[in-house]
Amino acid sequence: MRTDRKNDQLRNISIKRNFLDNPQGSVLIQSGNTKVICTAFVEEKVPGFLRGQNKGWISAEYSMLPGANATRKQRDISKLKLDGRSAEIQRLIGRSLRSIVDLEKLGERTIWIDCDVINADGGTRTASITGSIVALRDALDKLLDQGLITEDPMPKYAAAVSVGVVDGEVLTDLCYSEDSHAEADVNVVMDEDGNFIELQATGEARPIKREEMDAIITHAQKAIFELIEMQKAAINKDKEKNTIIFATGNEHKAKELRRILPEYEILTLKDVNFDGDIVEDGNSFEENSLIKAKYIHSLYGKTVVADDSGVCVDLLNGLPGINSARYAGQHGNDHANNELLLKNIEGTSPEERTATFVSAAAVVFEDGSQAVMRGEVKGKIGYEYRGENGFGYDPLFIVDATGKTYAEMTDEEKNLLSHRKLAFEKLRPFIELYYNM
């Protein structure tokens, strides 16, 4: 008979997210004395058999570190082949995670799941699955925040647990001492709707009786539902994001800022039901961005960021400059602005068409403190529109570093080279300091 817990009770479970710095998702899961590090890395390609199908993949690797057991486990690499048990477990992990993910919504990318057992006391494969789903959830949330995927591919959670028959008793979440002399051992993977994903049942010493299997399933479902609640609690613990109002009605800018500052909830003027006008009568990008941020802050009392950006063409003595959005007279008429710019530098050589894309980013915090930073990117004005992925002057502005217009770049490329990205990255330390004081 168990003395430390009830027969249908899990061991003490701990799920620690963001355990490592580099992976898009990383979790240290502990079940009793079993400890597993689960990581999720995103790779922007798929296996050969999926290329061109606009479909993603999830693959898993599993290993037990040499110090995980009482006696040293030899590394697989030293044997020049994968241990049979490791191969079986990593296939199980991969199947379990793929079963709850819409791979088409993932796009043509692979998420690599790595599970490294650092201390083993039974249930390493089930702990790996339960922890990996949390790491996967974090990785998917980052892809969503960055705009790399537009729909959530993982609508539900799943978890796994071991249940066994020991001395005629059905026990949940076996530790090693129980597992090592169990008469039957069953690993169950189930989603939050109670559907089975995988059921691995083995009669170790004898066949499993039907009534025992019924009891095993009952134990497993109870435990898995508890584990899923723990997964959700771990995810939601740090889920609340600080809200920042972005003083813009431009959804293109908002989308870009959400990629730049994914850890914050970015609201636009539309989101806060503001449909008025802001008089931008400053003499610089910095003044105008601060005017916008201060005005919206005065209305809502929340932290507000704003940016003022534009193209400064050397041949035109810095024009359109702070008047870039209304260069042709009507605010936000991108086509008219671009056509007027092309007309005003018509007949000039490429060497004469040098320009700078400027962004000044301002923040006014709830307490009234403020900061303004500037980002600049050097380039040239092209002779014709190139690309379909931008707005404003993006189809005309050729970035020196790439030879591409902003409109020819992917969102990921632009996010690395954007004048707005540079300005807000300089502003980021002020925002982080404010919210971590």
Side-chain angles (χ1 to χ4, degrees):
M1 293 288 294
R2 275 183 172 168
T3 57
D4 61 331
R5 55 194 164 110
K6 296 178 181 178
N7 286 1
D8 65 348
Q9 189 175 351
L10 290 160
R11 290 178 283 181
N12 289 329
I13 306 293
S14 168
I15 299 175
K16 182 177 180 180
R17 294 170 52 237
N18 303 315
F19 186 68
L20 300 176
D21 293 335
N22 297 314
Q24 284 84 354
S26 65
V27 165
L28 172 64
I29 184 168
Q30 183 169 353
S31 176
N33 290 324
T34 289
K35 302 175 186 177
V36 187
I37 299 172
C38 307
T39 61
F41 265 107
V42 178
E43 187 177 48
E44 293 296 325
K45 62 180 181 180
V46 292
F49 68 89
L50 283 176
R51 286 178 196 153
Q53 297 185 35
N54 195 30
K55 188 177 181 181
W57 191 247
I58 298 173
S59 191
E61 293 188 5
Y62 167 97
S63 67
M64 191 172 290
L65 299 188
N69 290 308
T71 57
R72 182 183 185 274
K73 182 185 183 300
Q74 188 178 4
R75 294 183 190 271
D76 289 339
I77 189 65
S78 65
K79 298 179 288 185
L80 300 180
K81 65 177 182 179
L82 185 63
D83 177 83
R85 179 178 179 275
S86 298
E88 180 230 332
I89 292 174
Q90 66 187 37
R91 286 196 295 268
L92 167 65
I93 297 168
R95 289 194 302 270
S96 299
L97 271 61
R98 288 193 296 271
S99 73
I100 57 169
V101 172
D102 185 333
L103 297 176
E104 291 185 356
K105 291 181 180 177
L106 186 59
E108 287 205 7
R109 54 179 54 88
T110 299
I111 299 183
W112 285 96
I113 302 296
D114 290 285
C115 299
D116 293 292
V117 180
I118 60 175
N119 202 72
D121 186 26
T124 61
R125 74 183 68 196
T126 53
S128 295
I129 292 168
T130 301
S132 291
I133 286 168
V134 178
L136 175 63
R137 178 70 270 168
D138 275 336
L140 292 174
D141 284 343
K142 285 185 171 65
L143 292 175
L144 286 163
D145 287 341
Q146 294 164 8
L148 298 177
I149 56 177
T150 56
E151 295 183 79
D152 187 359
M154 193 181 105
K156 63 181 67 176
Y157 285 74
V161 72
S162 65
V163 183
V165 180
V166 182
D167 296 331
E169 298 281 343
V170 176
L171 305 181
T172 295
D173 194 12
L174 307 182
C175 64
Y176 177 75
S177 62
E178 294 169 334
D179 182 65
S180 60
H181 66 278
E183 298 149 46
D185 184 21
V186 182
N187 295 304
V188 183
V189 189
M190 189 180 287
D191 69 18
E192 63 181 284
D193 293 331
N195 300 312
F196 291 101
I197 294 170
E198 187 123 4
L199 189 64
Q200 296 181 334
T202 305
E204 300 282 1
R206 58 169 175 79
I208 304 172
K209 298 174 184 177
R210 174 60 187 266
E211 58 269 23
E212 289 175 331
M213 182 59 77
D214 291 342
I216 286 169
I217 298 304
T218 299
H219 278 235
Q221 186 174 51
K222 174 180 179 292
I224 285 172
F225 286 174
E226 290 174 4
L227 288 167
I228 289 172
E229 288 304 310
M230 293 178 200
Q231 290 172 324
K232 291 180 178 181
I235 288 288
N236 292 328
K237 180 180 179 182
D238 302 318
K239 200 73 172 179
E240 291 297 322
K241 296 182 178 181
N242 291 307
T243 300
I244 296 175
I245 300 174
F246 187 16
T248 184
N250 188 323
E251 285 298 329
H252 296 289
K253 284 188 177 184
K255 181 180 177 182
E256 189 173 344
L257 186 61
R258 290 184 183 113
R259 291 197 301 268
I260 297 169
L261 300 174
E263 61 271 49
Y264 300 95
E265 182 181 6
I266 306 298
L267 302 180
T268 65
L269 295 180
K270 181 180 178 181
D271 294 326
V272 296
N273 299 315
F274 176 84
D275 59 359
D277 294 320
I278 305 174
V279 179
E280 301 172 41
D281 53 1
N283 295 315
S284 67
F285 292 109
E286 285 80 0
E287 287 183 17
N288 281 334
S289 63
L290 197 53
I291 286 170
K292 288 185 278 190
K294 290 171 72 173
Y295 183 72
I296 298 302
H297 174 266
S298 73
L299 297 178
Y300 297 94
K302 303 293 186 181
T303 296
V304 179
V305 295
D307 94 304
D308 195 54
S309 57
V311 174
C312 300
V313 180
D314 297 325
L315 190 64
L316 300 177
N317 297 317
L319 294 176
I322 61 172
N323 296 310
S324 291
R326 50 191 175 273
Y327 187 43
Q330 182 184 356
H331 191 281
N333 190 332
D334 293 347
H335 181 73
N337 291 334
N338 284 317
E339 287 298 307
L340 182 58
L341 177 57
L342 288 173
K343 180 181 178 181
N344 287 343
I345 58 173
E346 190 176 2
T348 57
S349 67
E351 292 75 20
E352 296 176 287
R353 300 166 78 97
T354 55
T356 304
F357 226 139
V358 177
S359 174
V363 60
V364 178
F365 295 106
E366 292 180 18
D367 64 2
S369 58
Q370 60 193 47
V372 186
M373 301 303 291
R374 185 183 181 99
E376 295 184 354
V377 174
K378 299 293 184 182
K380 295 181 178 62
I381 303 301
Y383 289 89
E384 59 187 2
Y385 296 91
R386 285 166 40 185
E388 302 291 336
N389 197 33
F391 62 97
Y393 295 91
D394 287 358
L396 293 181
F397 187 81
I398 302 170
V399 179
D400 284 345
T402 65
K404 292 181 179 180
T405 68
Y406 275 137
E408 291 179 297
M409 296 181 188
T410 64
D411 290 342
E412 294 82 5
E413 290 174 319
K414 186 178 180 182
N415 201 38
L416 293 173
L417 297 167
S418 162
H419 50 295
R420 191 168 292 107
K421 161 84 167 181
L422 295 175
F424 275 101
E425 282 296 343
K426 291 179 182 178
L427 201 62
R428 179 192 290 277
F430 297 93
I431 298 173
E432 291 178 345
L433 179 63
Y434 180 81
Y435 282 113
N436 289 303
M437 284 191 301

